[in-house]
Amino acid sequence: MNGSRRLSPQEIADILRERIRVGELKAGDRLPTQAELAEEFGVERGTVRQALRALQEDGLLTNVSKGSPPRIALPPPTRDAPQPTMVGLAPRLTEAFAAPRVEVDVVCHTSETLMVALGEPLRLIHEGAIRPESIDVRILLPSRDIDLAFPVLVEGGEGDDSVHKRWLEMRNAQAQVLRHNLQALRSTLGISVRVTFRALPFTPPVKLYLLNGAEALIGYYVLTERQDEYESRTLNMYDALGSASLLFSFVQQAGQRDAAFVAESQKWFDALWETITTDLTLS
């Protein structure tokens, strides 16, 4: 395809880069083998390896190894401004789950947002687009035995535990689904998976996600008055819709301030995790 002149590694990298840009090669797609690329471009494999190395350094390739062709990397999530949790969390989890060893630590009121956001990285794992070797998820949720700061009835309600029962049923159901979906990776794909829940003795005012020790995401719960149906009655309560919280991102490599926040957040979580020895009862 190049006549008598052989293409340089940079020229091959530019051709592949253009294929990625126009969508001919999409995120998660596997590249042809080095032998196939060498034949296509009429060059030696060493030239192809140099081109792939340049693309890897640009962050365009992932899973680069001798055993199999690399894949087109997932686009990095935008971190310039805070985003709603349901918008910002999934792409960051997907990026985190592309690492060989995944470590996710979470503090939240319920695991609903996390359960939903994990759908995309789990789909990519089952498709074979990403394949971590191990996954370790630690989650802190409020204990069933505390008086929650929220949700609570707007008026009265002394002796009425309907709001608490509703929250507890949601907490347990969402956590069970999350644990099941992650542990299914062990039974179906042989990935080492550990999912652990512990019981917070207080209501967290924020949600915190720590991803592979490299990024910290924090979102503040905002209370609102709302109604919900439960056991044939309408509950008028103060509650927080965690999915609508804005996530603020702090990345280890973004600068001294961000690096300090990530490190201190991880240190705080580890200390809290070691202090709390009560496993969460999901029943």
Side-chain angles (χ1 to χ4, degrees), residues 69-81:
R71 291 183 182 275
I72 307 303
L74 297 161
T78 303
R79 294 187 171 94
D80 293 338

Side-chain angles (χ1 to χ4, degrees), residues 108-182:
C108 51
H109 191 252
T110 72
S111 54
E112 178 181 13
T113 304
L114 179 62
M115 176 191 71
V116 174
L118 277 172
E120 180 62 11
L122 293 181
R123 181 185 68 81
L124 291 172
I125 290 174
H126 283 292
E127 287 183 351
I130 57 177
R131 183 59 60 87
E133 299 170 6
S134 64
I135 299 171
D136 187 0
V137 179
R138 300 186 296 178
I139 303 174
L140 290 169
L141 293 170
S143 167
R144 65 183 301 153
D145 299 322
I146 65 172
D147 292 328
L148 292 170
F150 58 88
V152 293
L153 289 172
V154 172
E155 294 181 356
E158 186 175 348
D160 185 347
D161 65 348
S162 297
V163 170
H164 187 88
K165 285 175 59 181
R166 168 190 163 277
W167 165 81
L168 185 61
E169 289 176 6
M170 292 173 53
R171 187 206 71 173
N172 292 345
Q174 293 157 3
Q176 287 169 354
V177 170
L178 185 150
R179 181 171 61 184
H180 170 79
N181 290 345
L182 284 168

Side-chain angles (χ1 to χ4, degrees), residues 16-55:
L16 295 175
R17 189 179 287 108
E18 179 64 13
R19 292 178 184 177
I20 295 171
R21 188 189 70 80
V22 300
E24 184 178 338
L25 291 171
K26 299 180 176 60
D29 284 352
R30 192 185 295 276
L31 279 180
T33 65
Q34 291 184 15
E36 291 169 337
L37 289 172
E39 181 178 358
E40 176 186 352
F41 294 115
V43 297
E44 302 294 330
R45 290 193 188 184
T47 303
V48 170
R49 282 195 291 271
Q50 292 180 53
L52 297 182
R53 193 175 301 118
L55 294 175

Side-chain angles (χ1 to χ4, degrees), residues 190-202:
I191 297 174
S192 174
V193 176
R194 183 172 63 175
V195 185
T196 314
F197 296 89
R198 288 188 180 172
L200 277 174
F202 58 87

Side-chain angles (χ1 to χ4, degrees), residues 83-86 113 207 219-222 240-247:
Q83 296 176 302
T85 301
M86 293 303 293
T113 304
K207 53 173 55 183
Y220 295 88
Y221 286 113
V222 179
L241 299 178
S243 61
S245 298
L246 287 179
L247 277 185

